Amino acid sequence: MTEPDQPERTAEDVAWGRLQRRRDRIRAEVRRNRAGGHRIPTWVLAAVLGVFLLGWLALILKS
């Protein structure tokens, strides 16, 4: 429980705390993404997506 001499947190304080934690999580994620260390390079993922889409389009056009 809270101490008698400490005021209770308001709904605004709780919302502000959640917003701060969310911002901190986003900043940490961006920092991790900028650091690299990805297992599969982005260009490989883009190439696989392109092959998949071209195959799908070929199936549609040949049917």
Side-chain angles (χ1 to χ4, degrees):
M1 292 287 195
T2 59
E3 296 291 323
D5 54 337
Q6 290 181 343
E8 192 171 324
R9 291 176 55 186
T10 64
E12 184 178 335
D13 291 339
V14 172
W16 182 250
R18 286 181 184 164
L19 179 64
Q20 286 298 107
R21 286 191 300 275
R22 179 172 167 79
R23 285 180 181 168
D24 291 342
R25 281 194 308 268
I26 291 171
R27 284 188 183 113
E29 183 179 356
V30 168
R31 197 176 307 118
R32 282 191 309 270
N33 290 342
R34 286 182 179 169
H38 306 295
R39 293 185 178 162
I40 302 173
T42 306
W43 67 268
V44 172
L45 295 174
V48 169
L49 177 62
V51 168
F52 176 77
L53 292 175
L54 286 175
W56 182 58
L57 184 62
L59 283 174
I60 291 173
L61 294 177
K62 289 183 180 184
S63 63

